[in-house]
Amino acid sequence: MFKKITKFPDNFLWGGATAANQIEGAYLADGKGLTTIDLMPTGPKRNQVSMGNLDSFGPEEGEFYPSHEAINFYHRYKEDIALFAEMGFKSFRMSVSWARIFPNGDDLEPNEAGLKFYDDVFDELLKYDIEPVVTICHFDLPVSLAKNYGGWKNRKMVSLFERYAKILFDRYKNKVKYWMTFNEINMLLHLPYTGAGIVFEEGEDKQQVLYQAAHHELVASALAVKACHEMIPDAMIGCMLAAGNAYPYSSNPEDYWEVMKMERDSYFLIDVQSKGEYPGYAKRFFIENGIELQLEPEDLELLRKHTVDYIGFSYYSSRCTSADPEILKNFTDGNVFGSVINPYLETSEWGWTIDPKGMRITCNQLYDRYNKPLFIVENGLGAQDILLVNNTVEDDYRIDYLDRHFAEIAEAIQDGIDIMGYTSWGPIDLVSNGTGEMKKRYGYIYVDRNNDGSGTLRRIKKKSFHWYKEVIAKNGAQYFQK
Ligand code: BG6
């Protein structure tokens, strides 16, 4: 009666994922304005700026800003896309830099040269039958929106974002069928400047500011979904969550309750984007913490009516938590959200927990919760690679990480989950968002560039390049042969 699922879907969107500020470089080319990330230095200040504790509105002498050149995708995109095509990519996730289109964010007219750049990139992808998957905002705002408007603190951002999104839909309606509004929308609550261009003022009620900004992004996202559905009826538009299931440190119910709180802290925003209303636990949290959202009369109706078509998410690690303050001291880093060290799991060189099974658990949790197609739009291992004299990189550790995650994705597919595709993070080495380093590499393609900006930018295929090419060629059939 029921049929066993024996393969990845035929149209599974294998590919890779990037963000404009981490690959493009050419930071002032052809009329582009400065973005928030263009003024984010490397070193210890980076974290303070990301958290909104220190402003960074102008380049400072002696600081290094890695996005200025990044890997110069802006001038080398043809070579890079040819390499993606050689691996057999079916999709390529990228973001548009808002400041290429509206250099100051509130300009009256869009910048034609910026629009033309993305036309050229999309055409190049489509030439190889690679579907562009486009994030409208992946962390980088035109810096003048942060400086002059206070970023997403300000309601005015909603209409500026809507206008920007509509320009993209209108221009690229025949080229782009997969969209996402905000990258890792829940990041706003943890890295307010990265996620929302917020710098806190002295004495400001941080929670009030954050949740009001989150509300603005949610309304803006709903308006973009509305416009996308009206302007490109055959497109899909999704949300994007920094995901990762959590485990209780022990079987103590108090530990399990901490897990629920931790997961809800992540889910809360996409609960709204996907289900169309603030969940009860969020309303209770607002009331008990004295948070009063300023709503426009139409807001709740907009949120209700314009929900997303799919759930995009990143998965790098699972987390672990406890109600015991002593256990909580035993922390390791993660993709911004730290975790209690899980004694059953290893960690990466950057302290991120490695948990392939967590990928299957996360897929199941998200599908149970939303019942919408999932798109795994980020996953991968950041590691230091060694370029060998014969011009290759033996990145067996990366192959091992991906291989174990793909096996769990195949399990999730057999669990009956509708997964649209998988784009691994940084298919070509790029600038790390967290640290600004180049040496934290995720790619199948090595880029000759160092932390200090030195290097030739030459592209070199790693061992994983050939391995991923084989996985795609077989549409992951090896994960179903047991
Ligand atoms: C995600 C972001 O949080 O993680 C990416 O969407 C980021 O922009 C990726 O690069 C990996 O994090 P990091 O800090 O290793 O670059």
Side-chain angles (χ1 to χ4, degrees):
M1 186 172 66
F2 300 117
K3 270 194 147 168
K4 188 171 162 53
I5 297 170
T6 56
K7 56 185 176 99
F8 279 84
D10 291 335
N11 51 359
F12 193 74
L13 291 168
W14 294 102
T18 59
N21 73 84
Q22 291 170 268
I23 57 168
E24 286 178 2
Y27 77 117
L28 292 177
D30 300 326
K32 176 178 168 292
L34 278 170
T35 70
T36 45
I37 311 283
D38 289 333
L39 296 169
M40 214 176 257
T42 51
K45 268 195 197 166
R46 190 172 182 92
N47 199 250
Q48 286 309 307
V49 173
S50 311
M51 289 173 63
N53 296 332
L54 183 71
D55 73 41
S56 189
F57 293 145
E60 276 179 32
E61 193 91 2
E63 295 291 1
F64 177 63
Y65 301 99
S67 71
H68 291 193
E69 289 175 34
I71 60 162
N72 200 6
F73 178 81
Y74 192 81
H75 292 110
R76 304 181 73 130
Y77 69 89
K78 287 192 180 172
E79 180 190 351
D80 294 342
I81 291 171
L83 287 166
F84 301 151
E86 193 182 328
M87 274 189 279
F89 277 22
K90 313 285 180 215
S91 68
F92 178 58
R93 176 177 175 232
M94 51 182 277
S95 70
V96 172
S97 174
W98 191 338
R100 285 202 194 281
I101 312 301
F102 289 105
N104 301 294
D106 58 358
D107 315 69
L108 293 179
E109 293 298 327
N111 171 31
E112 177 52 34
L115 288 166
K116 164 88 170 53
F117 168 67
Y118 293 107
D119 260 324
D120 294 345
V121 172
F122 298 146
D123 288 343
E124 195 67 17
L125 289 167
L126 294 169
K127 183 171 113 185
Y128 296 104
D129 289 329
I130 300 175
E131 286 285 346
V133 177
V134 174
T135 319
I136 298 172
C137 183
H138 191 127
F139 296 156
D140 51 351
L141 304 180
V143 74
S144 28
L145 294 182
K147 195 173 159 189
N148 303 332
Y149 291 82
W152 284 95
K153 282 182 195 178
N154 192 328
R155 175 87 196 190
K156 183 83 176 93
M157 291 291 286
V158 174
S159 55
L160 293 172
F161 181 84
E162 184 190 12
R163 193 171 62 118
Y164 161 54
K166 281 182 168 169
I167 290 281
L168 301 189
F169 298 147
D170 185 49
R171 178 79 171 214
Y172 307 123
K173 56 180 175 290
N174 297 320
K175 299 182 182 178
V176 181
K177 302 296 173 188
Y178 298 95
W179 297 88
M180 260 167 275
T181 54
F182 294 97
N183 180 62
E184 297 189 333
I185 191 163
N186 49 324
M187 207 54 98
L188 172 163
L189 301 174
H190 304 272
L191 296 179
Y193 192 66
T194 303
I198 291 173
V199 184
F200 293 109
E201 281 158 31
E202 189 90 15
E204 211 166 26
D205 177 344
K206 288 192 175 181
Q207 280 201 333
Q208 174 67 38
V209 167
L210 286 178
Y211 287 99
Q212 186 63 50
H215 178 72
H216 293 153
E217 284 199 6
L218 291 171
V219 174
S221 177
L223 284 165
V225 169
K226 175 175 187 285
C228 184
H229 287 159
E230 284 166 4
M231 296 169 74
I232 329 180
D234 59 340
M236 290 179 83
I237 182 161
C239 57
M240 162 43 172
L241 169 78
N245 61 298
Y247 303 107
Y249 190 75
S250 76
S251 52
N252 182 341
E254 296 301 333
D255 280 5
Y256 190 74
W257 184 245
E258 290 305 312
V259 166
M260 284 210 77
K261 287 203 303 199
M262 190 181 235
E263 291 186 334
R264 283 175 161 179
D265 181 57
S266 292
Y267 287 144
F268 140 72
L269 291 160
I270 69 159
D271 273 358
V272 181
Q273 287 175 298
S274 183
K275 298 180 178 182
E277 60 177 354
Y278 280 99
Y281 66 85
K283 293 178 191 161
R284 177 176 179 179
F285 175 82
F286 294 153
I287 293 165
E288 292 183 351
N289 289 279
I291 296 163
E292 295 205 17
L293 296 186
Q294 307 292 313
L295 306 187
E296 297 291 319
E298 69 279 11
D299 286 1
L300 296 181
E301 179 76 351
L302 280 171
L303 296 177
R304 195 177 60 72
K305 276 185 149 164
H306 306 292
T307 54
V308 291
D309 303 319
Y310 67 90
I311 310 294
F313 68 96
S314 61
Y315 175 84
Y316 293 91
S317 306
S318 59
R319 290 170 289 159
C320 179
T321 189
S322 166
D324 180 342
E326 278 309 304
I327 302 279
L328 282 179
K329 285 183 189 157
N330 203 6
F331 238 64
T332 183
D333 277 343
N335 186 9
V336 180
F337 323 93
S339 166
V340 167
I341 293 174
N342 185 330
Y344 298 97
L345 298 171
E346 49 180 331
T347 55
S348 76
E349 288 172 79
W350 271 265
W352 294 20
T353 304
I354 299 175
D355 180 12
K357 180 68 77 189
M359 172 66 95
R360 179 178 179 186
I361 296 170
T362 298
C363 288
N364 273 274
Q365 284 183 338
L366 290 172
Y367 201 61
D368 285 352
R369 195 174 182 105
Y370 300 112
N371 204 20
K372 294 195 183 198
L374 306 183
F375 199 160
I376 304 164
V377 293
E378 283 187 35
N379 168 244
L381 179 71
Q384 297 194 61
D385 291 334
I386 298 170
L387 181 61
L388 301 173
V389 276
N390 63 349
N391 261 332
T392 189
V393 175
E394 301 275 335
D395 54 345
D396 294 283
Y397 37 89
R398 181 167 295 109
I399 294 172
D400 177 65
Y401 174 101
L402 295 168
D403 186 55
R404 291 193 286 143
H405 283 76
F406 291 176
E408 296 297 338
I409 296 169
E411 293 291 343
I413 288 173
Q414 291 173 78
D415 292 335
I417 300 173
D418 179 1
I419 305 182
M420 296 159 59
Y422 171 93
T423 55
S424 59
W425 178 248
I428 182 165
D429 293 344
L430 40 64
V431 176
S432 157
N433 171 64
T435 64
E437 293 168 300
M438 265 310 293
K439 73 171 186 196
K440 189 178 185 190
R441 298 173 183 273
Y442 288 85
Y444 306 111
I445 302 161
Y446 185 91
V447 177
D448 177 25
R449 184 168 168 86
N450 305 310
N451 279 357
D452 62 2
S454 61
T456 61
L457 290 175
R458 197 158 59 96
R459 277 54 171 158
I460 298 147
K461 296 173 196 170
K462 302 181 194 176
K463 187 173 177 182
S464 57
F465 179 100
H466 308 284
W467 174 84
Y468 193 42
K469 180 178 177 180
E470 179 85 3
V471 171
I472 299 176
K474 292 189 173 151
N475 194 25
Q478 50 275 64
Y479 296 102
F480 285 87
Q481 289 157 359
K482 284 187 213 149

